[in-house]
Amino acid sequence: MTTPTAVLVKFKQSRRAANSRSLKRWYQNGPLLAGMIIVGIVVVVAVFAPLISPYDPIKQDLLSTLQSPSSAHWLGTDKLGRDVLSRLMWGARVDLRIGFLAVLIPFVFGSIIGALAGYFGGWFDVVVMRIVDVFFAFPFYVIVIALVFVFGSGETSIYLAIAVVSWVAYAKIVRGEVIVAKTQDYVTAARLGGMSHMRILVRHIGPNVLSQVIIYAMSDIVMDIMAIVTLGYLGLGIAPPTPEWGSMILDGQEFITTQWQQATIPGLMVVVMSLGLSWIGDGLSDLLSPDRRK
Amino acid sequence: MLRRMQFIPGRLIQTIPVVFGVTLVVFFLGHLLPGDPAIAILGEHATPARVAALREQLGLNLPLGVQYGQFLLHILQGNLGQSLTYQVPVASLVLQAVPVTLSLLLFALIISLAISIPLAGLAAAKPGGAWDYVARGYTLLGQGMPQFWVGIMLLLLLAVGLRVFPVGGYGITPLDHIYYLCLPALTMGIAMSPTIVRSLRSSTIDVLGSEYIATARSKGSSGTALFRQHVLRNAVIPTVSIIGVHLGYLVGGSIVIEKVFAIPGLGSLMLNAIFSRDFPTIQAVSLMVALFVVAVGILTDIIYTLLNPRINLSEGGEAV
């Protein structure tokens, strides 16, 4: 017997089953868990750096410069006698804050533009896709460096430069997803039910395409952290003496023959963060769209 | 053969709006500078006379549309403006730097293929096997390392530690150049390889499962001969387009790598221009790099079609 009620009941049952399956799975998902633990630890250290860092990260001590690791300075001191471990902890605050915040504007703006272009098509779609093509022609670092120069150095212009460059990737992903989604039966059904385009886009298509964007955002955070660290290394990022991993690597490179750990360790921190975030991304894509995994 | 290349004119026409857009972005970079671009370039303490002279030189007193028209016209004439630092045409600086960066890119591409092809082949031969784990670990790590940091680590290991390679510079003779480019090319090759390994691994697995490989096997072909003659040629096709996309990323990375190893290519030119506020040079390098990426895109499509007779972009076929 397939009365509408029976179908509805069956649908609700299967949805409940699916929900409980994914709830049961998230903590059984190895990569996701490992990634969350890694990222969690670094974030906790960054948040509590003022309380747990052994020294003031910008206080110079010119009597004890370039010291090797010891019990007083676990990772040694830099050329101005500043404690490397403390700078590493405080640097996490800067790099992670910018890395996580910088994805927000491109995420929201790019997704909206991509969704509108994919859903409505027409001239708007054509124009948006041409703009996307133009931005894809500029390699990430070339345009970011040029924009940071134009906007002037500092945190705000890093956000701006990243936003200008990286919204296009979100727009492209969401557009592709929406084009596929809008031909699905549930959208046709919603249309026939008399729902407005906006409601369909936000309430029906939105949740279905969001998972892909969130998964991409994880790798985008990695890319943004790399960008900040790279800008710092090039001397175009956050101005000294604020501790930041990239500028720490730059400072350390000078003394690479005698104090190898100074350039090595901040880079290792980036590797650890990207490992954690890629695992979260892998785990999320397992959890959110299992049918897409090969 | 000729018929299959009929898509090229259409593909070229498609890129016209993109090239147009690229010039527009590069043009407006100058107008995004807050306040008077001339003052922004010269600094706040410049004399009014110098500011006026620069405004004249940059054509800032003309209407915006005319300025853009002139900008386009100059590009078509190969005139990329005058470097504010060196007082020579930017085009000559760019021409000196382009071969350096191009050879670095080519060298890096060769190295990354030399890493990726064997690794992807071994991983695909036995999915879930030991080599597959090695390949997976390598991709994960490779994507998580900042490029310039990889360069510094290689310096530490091979130049400072083992003293096999120079710490930086470009040398004098062509043979020098190759020697000096080894480490930077290795750095960029490593940066590029994870994506290639991933793509090549999955396409090799697909090819290995196909019927023509079963046929080749039944005829007695196996091992490297099978891989070279039948597998690689087919598996490499999707990877070609991935490489095309990533070359652009690689050019961006070369800016940073050139700084690590003090190599006088486009990257160093751009960075020096940033620090000396040499705006025409920044514009020219951004433009050249973007046009290069667009050109690589077209070239990729052509190579793609040449490699695979089954793909026909000329008859409205889609590149997969």
Side-chain angles (χ1 to χ4, degrees):
Chain A
M1 188 184 74
T2 46
T3 62
T5 337
V7 172
L8 197 67
V9 168
K10 213 170 165 189
F11 172 70
K12 282 199 166 159
Q13 278 170 347
S14 71
R15 199 159 76 166
R16 202 167 299 143
N19 277 346
S20 71
R21 225 177 16 247
S22 66
L23 272 181
K24 212 166 98 189
R25 272 214 331 253
W26 80 262
Y27 55 83
Q28 290 174 346
N29 185 313
L32 184 64
L33 209 59
M36 280 168 55
I37 291 173
I38 292 175
V39 174
I41 291 174
V42 183
V43 168
V44 165
V45 169
V47 170
F48 292 104
L51 297 176
I52 57 176
S53 75
Y55 296 88
D56 182 340
I58 52 176
K59 191 168 160 265
Q60 304 183 1
D61 179 1
L62 297 175
L63 291 176
S64 50
T65 59
L66 293 174
Q67 286 187 354
S68 293
S70 64
S71 56
H73 299 279
W74 288 5
L75 297 176
T77 58
D78 69 2
K79 64 176 171 184
L80 296 171
R82 299 173 297 195
D83 181 55
V84 173
L85 179 63
S86 304
R87 287 182 70 71
L88 203 63
M89 289 173 164
W90 282 80
R93 289 168 79 84
V94 177
D95 288 304
L96 298 192
R97 180 180 68 231
I98 305 180
F100 283 109
L101 288 182
V103 296
L104 291 180
I105 305 172
F107 185 103
V108 174
F109 180 73
S111 300
I112 292 175
I113 297 282
L116 293 177
Y119 190 78
F120 292 111
W123 64 266
F124 182 69
D125 186 34
V126 174
V127 172
V128 167
M129 287 325 284
R130 285 291 92 80
I131 296 176
V132 167
D133 284 345
V134 168
F135 276 96
F136 266 110
F138 290 97
F140 185 67
Y141 286 121
V142 173
I143 190 87
V144 166
I145 289 171
L147 285 172
V148 167
F149 168 74
V150 167
F151 295 142
S153 62
E155 200 168 321
T156 321
S157 49
I158 295 181
Y159 288 127
L160 267 176
I162 288 178
V164 169
V165 185
S166 49
W167 69 272
V168 287
Y170 290 96
K172 207 169 175 171
I173 293 170
V174 172
R175 174 184 175 271
E177 295 281 318
V178 168
I179 285 177
V180 175
K182 76 175 178 187
T183 61
Q184 304 281 311
D185 290 343
Y186 68 86
V187 175
T188 320
R191 247 343 258 160
L192 290 174
M195 287 181 195
S196 71
H197 287 304
M198 265 307 136
R199 193 179 157 94
I200 293 175
L201 208 49
V202 175
R203 298 285 302 272
H204 296 259
I205 296 181
N208 283 296
V209 302
L210 203 60
S211 58
Q212 287 309 306
V213 196
I214 292 175
I215 293 162
Y216 173 75
M218 292 301 133
S219 59
D220 198 33
I221 295 175
V222 174
M223 205 151 103
D224 289 345
I225 293 179
M226 297 259 193
I228 301 144
V229 173
T230 305
L231 286 171
Y233 174 74
L234 296 176
L236 296 167
I238 306 298
T242 307
E244 190 276 326
W245 293 343
S247 51
M248 286 175 73
I249 299 177
L250 177 66
D251 289 344
Q253 195 185 358
E254 248 181 276
F255 307 102
I256 195 144
T257 45
T258 50
Q259 299 270 323
W260 62 271
Q261 80 280 357
Q262 278 197 34
T264 310
I265 302 215
L268 271 182
M269 289 308 297
V270 179
V271 177
V272 167
M273 269 311 283
S274 17
L275 216 60
L277 286 165
S278 343
W279 274 333
I280 292 182
D282 280 357
L284 281 180
S285 75
D286 251 349
L287 214 59
L288 297 175
S289 51
D291 45 319
R292 296 200 192 214
R293 301 274 290 182
K294 272 206 212 167
Chain B
M1 174 59 112
L2 220 68
R3 285 252 309 277
R4 279 198 291 121
M5 287 296 135
Q6 277 171 356
F7 75 94
I8 294 175
R11 181 75 176 72
L12 288 177
I13 291 171
Q14 258 181 28
T15 55
I16 290 176
V18 177
V19 170
F20 207 65
V22 163
T23 58
L24 210 59
V25 169
V26 170
F27 173 72
F28 273 107
L29 269 183
H31 292 269
L32 280 173
L33 285 170
D36 187 340
I39 294 178
I41 290 168
L42 292 173
E44 279 166 32
H45 304 292
T47 60
R50 279 192 68 196
V51 172
L54 186 66
R55 284 188 67 89
E56 192 61 39
Q57 188 193 331
L58 297 175
L60 289 172
N61 299 323
L62 301 164
L64 214 56
V66 178
Q67 282 185 47
Y68 178 60
Q70 274 193 346
F71 180 72
L72 277 186
L73 200 68
H74 284 159
I75 293 173
L76 285 178
Q77 292 165 344
N79 173 2
L80 298 173
Q82 188 85 359
S83 160
L84 299 177
T85 319
Y86 301 103
Q87 298 301 334
V88 293
V90 177
S92 70
L93 295 175
V94 170
L95 273 183
Q96 276 172 12
V98 163
V100 180
T101 299
L102 271 186
S103 25
L104 179 58
L105 279 180
L106 196 68
F107 201 172
L109 190 59
I110 294 171
I111 290 182
S112 87
L113 288 177
I115 300 173
S116 308
I117 293 176
L119 192 56
L122 287 169
K126 209 172 154 200
W131 277 109
D132 201 16
Y133 275 97
V134 173
R136 219 183 287 177
Y138 176 79
T139 357
L140 198 61
L141 268 183
Q143 283 176 335
M145 297 188 288
Q147 274 186 49
F148 70 91
W149 183 76
V150 173
I152 297 174
M153 291 304 105
L154 288 174
L155 265 179
L156 186 61
L157 200 69
L158 297 174
V160 178
L162 299 175
R163 294 172 191 276
V164 191
F165 291 108
V167 196
Y170 191 52
I172 301 152
T173 64
L175 220 61
D176 276 359
H177 295 341
I178 295 178
Y179 179 54
Y180 276 88
L181 282 181
C182 280
L183 271 191
L186 182 60
T187 310
M188 284 170 70
I190 291 176
M192 195 181 182
S193 56
T195 328
I196 304 183
V197 170
R198 252 220 305 234
S199 148
L200 207 54
R201 174 188 169 273
S202 74
S203 59
T204 308
I205 290 177
D206 287 348
V207 170
L208 283 174
S210 64
E211 286 174 353
Y212 59 83
I213 295 300
T215 312
R217 280 209 168 113
S218 68
K219 283 159 72 182
S221 175
S222 67
T224 11
L226 175 79
F227 184 71
R228 249 199 354 257
Q229 291 165 5
H230 302 279
V231 181
L232 189 59
R233 214 190 133 169
N234 290 295
V236 91
I237 294 166
T239 310
V240 166
S241 53
I242 301 267
I243 292 176
V245 172
H246 273 260
L247 263 181
Y249 175 75
L250 208 61
V251 183
S254 82
I255 292 191
V256 192
I257 300 303
E258 285 176 15
K259 147 108 179 166
V260 176
F261 293 96
I263 293 188
L266 280 177
S268 300
L269 187 62
M270 170 124 178
L271 279 178
N272 291 336
I274 294 264
F275 287 112
S276 55
R277 308 190 70 82
D278 185 355
F279 195 70
T281 308
I282 300 173
Q283 269 184 320
V285 175
S286 318
L287 181 71
M288 292 314 290
V289 169
L291 292 182
F292 173 76
V293 172
V294 172
V296 166
I298 299 172
L299 209 63
T300 308
D301 279 357
I302 295 175
I303 296 176
Y304 193 77
T305 322
L306 281 179
L307 274 177
N308 192 350
R310 282 166 296 184
I311 294 165
N312 194 341
L313 290 178
S314 298
E315 278 165 21
E318 267 286 308
V320 190

